[in-house]
Amino acid sequence: MNNYGINIWADDNFIIEDAQVKLNYLSKPSLLDITKEVRSSGLKGPLILRFPHLIEKQIKTLFSSFKRSIKETSYKGSFFAVFPLKVNQFPELINSIITHGKAFNYGLEAGSKAELILAMARTSKDAPITVNGFKDQEMISLGFMAAQMGHNITLTIEGLAELETIIKVSKSCKLKIPSIGIRLRLHSTGSGVWAKSGGADSKFGLSATELLEAINLLKENDMLEHFHMVHFHIGSQMEDITPLKRALREAGNIYAELKKMGSTGLRSINIGGGLAVEYAQYQEDRLKTYTLEEFSNDVVFLLGEIMDKKGVEHPDIFTESGRFIVASHAVLITPVLELFSQDHQEKSLRIKDKNPPLVDELIDLNKTLNAKHSIEYLHDALDHMESLFTLFNLGYIDLQDRSNAEILVHVIIKKALLLHKNNQNNELQKLQAALQERYLINASIFQSLPDYWGINQHFPTIPLHKLDQPALLPASLWDITCDSDGEIGFSSKSPLYLHDVNLDEEEYFLGFFNVGAYQETLGMSHNLFAHPSECTIEIHQNGYKIKNINESQSLLKIMSGLGYDENQILIQLKNSLARSSFITEEEKSDTLQKLELYLYQNTYLRTTN
Ligand SMILES: Cc1ncc(COP(=O)(O)O)c(C=O)c1O
């Protein structure tokens, strides 16, 4: 993997040029240049770079694909889309969604009261708002307020009780009644990790019997005209298109039946989200088996076919794809702080005047190792190592001899691996994997890559630079939390190889890609590490502009977020320092200044990188 699979996961958004990762857009800036410029202001720790042009690209791609499918099949309905806020609610991203979505009337989907307020505040009156998830009377009343304000809002009910509450609220106030949607509990299930979002035992939606009851309830209360939408969602990151086709046939037929039963207000089908993103770095790990073109063709063609057969007008189509829209827009950059090397460097050798004979032999093997005899010498070295361990355990050699032996064998293995780097057999591959290097990254996996921790989701990982030099060290990544789960272990199936770097002399940055969906909102402050610093990068023909740099929360702020009183913490620390003995008043004052500085710095490590 000399290009880190960039041709698989990057969707042409990033390229490798001049040994660096660059944006494949306009002036093609390098991620390293951007990172260094942002950090030049003194900002330390992990960094999220947002690229709004990638959001624009995804929105345009989605809408134009459906437009084309609709045109090609002479479909009579229209296409609409909303962005599900749960995927990422950070303001800079939502601003981009609103700005670039305007031309398409792109709307927002809300799943909670707070998200609904956000949608009401940020959506223009023409763009649709859909509301999913469980709702109480207050949330339903908020929906009525939104309708009264002129929003094009649909409250999708997840159960009959919600419908009863809508009816109750409509009778108790004079506010405009919002559109009503009904989530279908389909028999069809999805595929992949989130398949349980669909199917008969799914947490959400109404069964056929409940659906009929809902229609009766609406009729009895003279509200059937407000029933505008049926909705389903079979799960995120759909790997395969077949389950969606099954769900479309089921939902399409339900829609047609409801129309024929007199649901005259009904005019749209919302197919939820689920469009997958490619995260793989190796061909054999690819999971997504369809293209956007196939997806939009299938949706439009199948719905058209069902409606034509049943003599029903083509419905408008809504999607709620989130991951597809925003995953690519954010890159997490982490400095490497340290290499916890198993690599015992030759410079640490302390050869004695008189060594045990086996150590002398190792010295000789190391000196004379060549391409022709490398495997033979490697086997001799491994053999000697075993013998030397036994001698140490029996007390015949000392710790310095053992250390020298470890270093020499290690160096011999590395030399042999290098000589055979293009034709490694099983034995050499195993040795290579055992020589893993641990790279300590200035980030928290729990905060920035929670799906790796929770569901083992791989995120494409690549050094931002040095890409013209061999990266031969099998790498495990350690984060800075004190939790052994904070590690992305080396996988021999999909190995990550990184460079041998001397961090005293140069910086080394890793980029984690496609992290724009779910990671920021699911991220947790384990060990009190806060959301990373972030900024937005606008790329122009002749350069780029760094905008909206938001530094990660300070130590005091993250504590106050938990409910601690910032002032009280400050006072307690100051008092403790004032009462301490054995230092002068001047030293106390210096220490206090330092302490205050630390408290207002962000939660990540600063000294090394
Ligand atoms: C109802 C609903 N709509 C849309 C989505 C967004 O899905 P995705 O991000 O996979 O497109 C979800 C997420 O699971 C969802 O539950």
Side-chain angles (χ1 to χ4, degrees), residues 84 86-87 132 183 231 233 236-237 273-274 320-323 518:
K86 70 170 145 191
V87 181
N132 299 320
R183 178 153 177 177
H231 172 258
H233 168 73
S236 196
Q237 186 66 356
E320 295 175 338
S321 275
R323 185 187 297 272
Y518 297 104

Side-chain angles (χ1 to χ4, degrees), residues 19 50 55 71 102 148 189 252 293 399 410 442 450 461 464 562:
R50 297 190 197 284
I55 294 178
K71 193 166 170 219
K102 211 170 240 146
Q148 183 63 35
T189 51
E293 192 183 355
L399 200 54
H410 202 89
N442 200 358
T461 309
L464 300 188
L562 285 179

Side-chain angles (χ1 to χ4, degrees), residues 19-20 463-470 499-501 506-508:
Q20 297 191 1
L464 300 188
H465 47 141
K466 296 173 83 74
L467 295 168
D468 56 346
Q469 295 169 35
H499 297 93
D500 197 358
V501 277
E506 59 178 333
E507 295 182 307
Y508 193 53

Side-chain angles (χ1 to χ4, degrees), residues 234 241-250 294 298 302 306:
I234 58 169
I241 198 82
T242 315
L244 177 71
K245 285 165 121 174
R246 271 200 301 267
L248 279 166
R249 285 196 192 96
E250 192 179 346
E294 183 180 352
D298 282 348
L302 277 174
I306 294 166

Side-chain angles (χ1 to χ4, degrees), residues 57-170:
K57 173 186 162 187
Q58 294 305 93
I59 295 175
K60 278 187 175 160
T61 311
L62 179 71
F63 277 89
S64 57
S65 190
F66 271 91
K67 190 173 166 192
R68 186 196 37 72
S69 300
I70 283 176
K71 193 166 170 219
E72 279 174 14
T73 51
S74 305
Y75 190 82
K76 308 288 180 317
S78 303
F79 175 71
F80 297 93
V82 288
F83 174 72
L85 282 166
K86 70 170 145 191
V87 181
N88 196 328
Q89 305 101 348
F90 275 73
E92 293 310 327
L93 167 128
I94 296 301
N95 288 345
S96 300
I97 293 272
I98 301 292
T99 309
H100 298 299
K102 211 170 240 146
F104 303 96
N105 264 338
Y106 190 34
L108 294 173
E109 182 262 3
S112 65
K113 287 182 207 175
E115 287 183 355
L116 177 51
I117 293 291
L118 191 53
M120 287 161 67
R122 298 297 280 115
T123 317
S124 75
K125 297 295 180 317
D126 301 324
I129 298 177
T130 60
V131 188
N132 299 320
F134 296 108
K135 304 164 206 65
D136 62 4
Q137 186 165 333
E138 278 165 27
M139 190 159 165
I140 285 169
S141 300
L142 280 173
F144 276 68
M145 291 177 205
Q148 183 63 35
M149 290 172 197
H151 282 293
N152 166 9
I153 181 168
T154 306
L155 295 181
T156 307
I157 60 160
E158 303 284 357
L160 284 170
E162 278 180 17
L163 182 57
E164 282 160 6
T165 313
I166 291 180
I167 293 167
K168 190 169 142 199
V169 174
S170 75

